Amino acid sequence: MSVQLEPSWKEELQDEFEKPYMKTLKAFLQEEKATGQTVYPPGNLIFNAFNHTPFDKVKVVIIGQDPYHGKNQAHGLSFSVQKGVTIPPSLRSIYKELQDDIPGFTYPPHGELTKWADQGVLLLNATLTVRAGQPASHQKKGWEEFTDNAIQRLSAKREGIIFLLWGKFAQSKALLIDSARHTVLKAAHPSPYSANDGFFGCKHFSKTNAILEENGKTGIDWQIV
């Protein structure tokens, strides 16, 4: 596994790449390639969330579960898809909530969220790869240990980060977060199956900006253009 990792994250996580679980994961990914499986996202985008949002610049964390498993969708940021791809249902729900929550927000023409990442929103999936057309196919192969470690290090070494935990899976990560040092906001998952059960109306985006500004930080410009 060729790792191109932003320097501050590399300093924090370098030791993880030497641990047995990561060596097992690397062997699994190599086997996927050797047997002709298509894996998303492309290798150079697996660590995209870390590369766009340095460790010391993280203001907000949005936790997803798996990369999208369709062609040209995943590019290493949770809930985000590459330009030119149909906006997925969960992201449509996110945009709808933004329209209701943030004055002046207009529905974007695409689902590429790099602008958020570059402002300090760590868009982190728990599992960083997936086999094409097979959701959850790379779960429990080692990625969760890696990303849990990233969350724990943010919790221990930073202060004042806002964690947006949508749905039961993301909310299970609350155990990794020191709520005395950080803010944890919970809501239903934005999937069409659950968005009406507490995601719509959660106002997490305006709440996030209010908290950041109260702490002397610049709020996130959520508008995607």
Side-chain angles (χ1 to χ4, degrees):
M1 180 164 42
S2 175
V3 178
Q4 298 176 343
L5 201 57
E6 187 276 330
S8 65
W9 276 111
K10 189 170 185 177
E11 182 177 347
E12 287 297 328
L13 299 174
Q14 184 65 51
D15 57 326
E16 294 300 306
F17 291 96
E18 304 305 319
K19 292 182 179 179
Y21 82 87
M22 186 58 81
K23 294 179 180 180
T24 300
L25 172 59
K26 181 179 179 179
F28 167 74
L29 293 173
Q30 288 173 333
E31 178 68 13
E32 290 282 82
K33 185 177 181 180
T35 55
Q37 300 294 339
T38 299
V39 172
Y40 297 131
N44 65 318
L45 296 178
I46 290 173
F47 297 99
N48 210 22
F50 300 98
N51 291 335
H52 276 279
T53 314
F55 183 85
D56 58 343
K57 302 295 184 184
V58 176
K59 295 179 176 180
V60 182
V61 179
I62 299 178
I63 298 176
Q65 191 161 0
D66 257 8
Y68 294 112
H69 54 85
K71 185 177 181 180
N72 295 328
Q73 288 185 304
H75 66 122
L77 305 179
S78 62
F79 294 100
S80 179
V81 292
Q82 299 186 66
K83 290 181 179 179
V85 177
T86 300
I87 298 172
S90 291
L91 185 52
R92 290 202 298 270
S93 296
I94 290 169
Y95 285 168
K96 182 179 184 299
E97 175 62 19
L98 277 159
Q99 282 183 302
D100 293 340
D101 186 25
I102 301 295
F105 182 90
T106 56
Y107 198 94
H110 60 80
E112 209 252 49
L113 305 179
T114 302
K115 179 182 174 184
W116 294 0
D118 289 340
Q119 295 178 78
V121 182
L122 181 66
L123 296 167
L124 182 65
N125 280 318
T127 301
L128 299 187
T129 57
V130 68
R131 186 184 292 180
Q134 297 185 35
S137 51
H138 287 190
Q139 289 182 8
K140 299 180 180 178
K141 302 295 184 182
W143 280 128
E144 294 91 340
E145 186 169 347
F146 180 80
T147 54
D148 280 359
N149 192 278
I151 294 167
Q152 288 175 308
R153 294 196 188 201
L154 283 171
S155 176
K157 295 189 176 185
R158 294 285 316 283
E159 290 189 13
I161 294 173
I162 302 164
F163 291 83
L164 304 184
L165 306 184
W166 300 334
K168 291 181 179 179
F169 176 81
Q171 288 166 18
S172 72
K173 303 299 182 181
L175 295 172
L176 306 172
I177 303 163
D178 183 349
S179 60
R181 297 168 63 93
H182 307 281
T183 300
V184 176
L185 300 180
K186 299 179 181 180
H189 195 277
S191 161
Y193 300 106
S194 56
N196 286 312
D197 296 330
F199 180 77
F200 291 140
C202 71
K203 298 191 179 299
H204 277 188
F205 305 101
S206 61
K207 289 178 181 178
T208 291
N209 280 356
I211 294 166
L212 288 172
E213 289 163 9
E214 284 170 10
N215 292 325
K217 300 177 183 178
T218 303
I220 306 300
D221 178 4
W222 298 107
Q223 182 64 60
I224 299 295
V225 294

